[in-house]
Amino acid sequence: GKHWAAKWIDGYYSISNRYTIESDFDLSSKGIEEFALKNKLIKRNEQFNFKKTFSDWFYTYFSKSKQRLDSTCKFAAPKGEFDINSAVKILKSHFTDENFQPWKNYSGGSVCMHANGFLNPTQTTGSMIVEMKEDSNTKILLTGTSNPCISLFKPFSFEGNVLLEQNFRIPSEKFDDSFWWKAEKFHRQVIMNYEFNREIFINELSEIQKNIVEKFEKNSFESANEYDRFSEESIKLHLVKIEEWTQSLPKNNKNVNNLFFNNYWKKQNKLAYL
């Protein structure tokens, strides 16, 4: 229903689509423990635990949210050390960084999730980082594309015009001329031989990402228009690189001997007219 619990966060915290607040909450809705008792969710004299009481164990377990939480917590740093690069690293991460292959197994434990068939038909369709400070404007980094592991986080602002509908085409259900679909076509080519294809461009992509974050953190922009130009330049650069990297992919770009994976993406491409 409408019952809730809240916890004051000082430093680093991760949720990963699961209940993480247990008995250590600072605020809660009125009558929450009485509600749990009335509905026989806890026993009388039992310490109230929000996560234990209200979590859907089936969904929580099979969504691999615990694996995802552990993965994001690996990047937890002492207070004051968590920065934009930490967030980028988390959002680009998989449940295993060694020999990750999108087709091999269910990737629900990854922050950057790859669809691979019937058991895992969904993927990360976009990622966002927001930096809020009292002494400066809120700043945003967006991929604007699927699967951040092979994408770039690019700067945007609420004050800018880049994301207005007349300036940034909204993708449709079918392949079109939008930025998202251009990047998605590249993504679908890369995953056909992910480990090999990724090596072709990952060093250059990482260097470009590093430069964008450095400029982003300097925050030396004098106006919204200047920040907008930074956004536009980043988008254009990403598009140019997608074209270059696509040309660098092998012509015989297929090395996945997994019938379910291949059939799944063959069907998705047909649905999208790709």
Side-chain angles (χ1 to χ4, degrees):
K2 296 183 179 180
H3 284 293
W4 54 268
K7 179 179 176 179
W8 180 267
I9 304 305
D10 187 11
Y12 178 86
Y13 202 79
S14 179
I15 297 173
S16 300
N17 298 100
R18 65 185 279 119
Y19 289 164
T20 56
I21 296 176
E22 299 190 49
S23 301
D24 55 344
F25 51 87
D26 299 301
L27 298 170
S28 66
S29 54
K30 186 177 180 180
I32 189 170
E33 293 190 41
E34 290 80 0
F35 174 85
L37 278 168
K38 183 180 178 181
N39 288 275
K40 298 181 180 179
L41 299 173
I42 61 171
K43 296 176 182 178
R44 194 165 296 280
N45 299 322
E46 178 184 354
Q47 184 182 23
F48 177 71
N49 182 308
F50 186 85
K51 182 178 81 169
K52 183 180 176 182
T53 303
F54 294 112
S55 283
D56 180 331
W57 72 267
F58 183 87
Y59 176 81
T60 300
Y61 178 79
F62 285 101
S63 69
K64 299 290 185 183
S65 60
K66 177 64 166 62
Q67 195 175 35
R68 203 158 53 249
L69 180 65
D70 291 343
S71 178
T72 57
C73 285
K74 282 194 306 184
F75 299 100
K79 184 180 177 182
E81 293 180 16
F82 187 83
D83 58 14
I84 296 294
N85 283 312
S86 305
V88 169
K89 191 173 182 179
I90 286 175
L91 291 169
K92 285 177 175 280
S93 70
H94 303 121
F95 63 92
T96 173
D97 290 325
E98 296 181 7
N99 302 320
F100 172 76
Q101 294 287 2
W103 57 270
K104 268 189 175 180
N105 42 24
Y106 177 63
S107 65
S110 295
V111 180
C112 177
M113 187 186 293
H114 294 252
N116 58 18
F118 174 74
L119 292 176
N120 188 39
T122 58
Q123 66 180 27
T124 303
T125 53
S127 292
M128 176 170 67
I129 298 167
V130 179
E131 183 182 74
M132 294 180 288
K133 293 183 177 180
E134 291 182 2
D135 58 348
S136 63
N137 291 334
T138 296
K139 294 186 294 184
I140 307 164
L141 285 167
L142 295 169
T143 56
T145 70
S146 70
N147 293 100
C149 65
I150 58 171
S151 185
L152 285 169
F153 284 88
K154 297 167 288 291
F156 297 93
S157 74
F158 289 126
E159 293 82 11
N161 297 312
V162 173
L163 288 179
L164 294 180
E165 191 171 344
Q166 63 266 31
N167 299 327
F168 196 86
R169 181 172 179 175
I170 298 173
S172 65
E173 293 183 3
K174 311 293 183 185
F175 178 72
D176 54 38
D177 197 40
S178 65
F179 176 72
W180 192 91
W181 270 113
K182 287 179 179 178
E184 177 62 12
K185 183 178 180 180
F186 172 67
H187 157 250
R188 295 187 185 190
Q189 291 173 305
V190 171
I191 59 172
M192 288 296 108
N193 194 353
Y194 178 83
E195 191 174 17
F196 178 85
N197 289 337
R198 187 174 176 271
E199 288 300 312
I200 294 172
F201 60 87
I202 193 61
N203 288 337
E204 186 177 12
L205 184 147
S206 298
E207 189 61 30
I208 293 170
Q209 185 67 82
K210 178 184 174 184
N211 293 335
I212 287 176
V213 171
E214 283 181 358
K215 191 172 181 180
F216 178 84
E217 288 187 318
K218 283 180 180 177
N219 194 25
S220 57
F221 304 99
E222 296 180 359
S223 65
N225 287 337
E226 190 177 345
Y227 197 87
D228 255 9
R229 283 195 295 273
F230 182 28
S231 298
E232 289 173 350
E233 289 167 5
S234 299
I235 294 170
K236 287 177 182 177
L237 176 61
H238 195 177
L239 281 171
V240 168
K241 289 302 173 182
I242 285 173
E243 292 178 9
E244 287 181 9
W245 296 333
T246 299
Q247 294 301 315
S248 300
L249 296 178
K251 300 301 178 185
N252 183 22
N253 183 34
K254 197 169 184 180
N255 193 35
V256 177
N257 296 316
N258 185 298
L259 183 64
F260 296 106
F261 181 85
N262 290 333
N263 285 343
Y264 171 80
W265 281 110
K266 184 178 180 180
K267 180 181 178 181
Q268 296 306 309
N269 289 337
K270 186 177 180 180
L271 289 170
Y273 297 131
L274 259 176

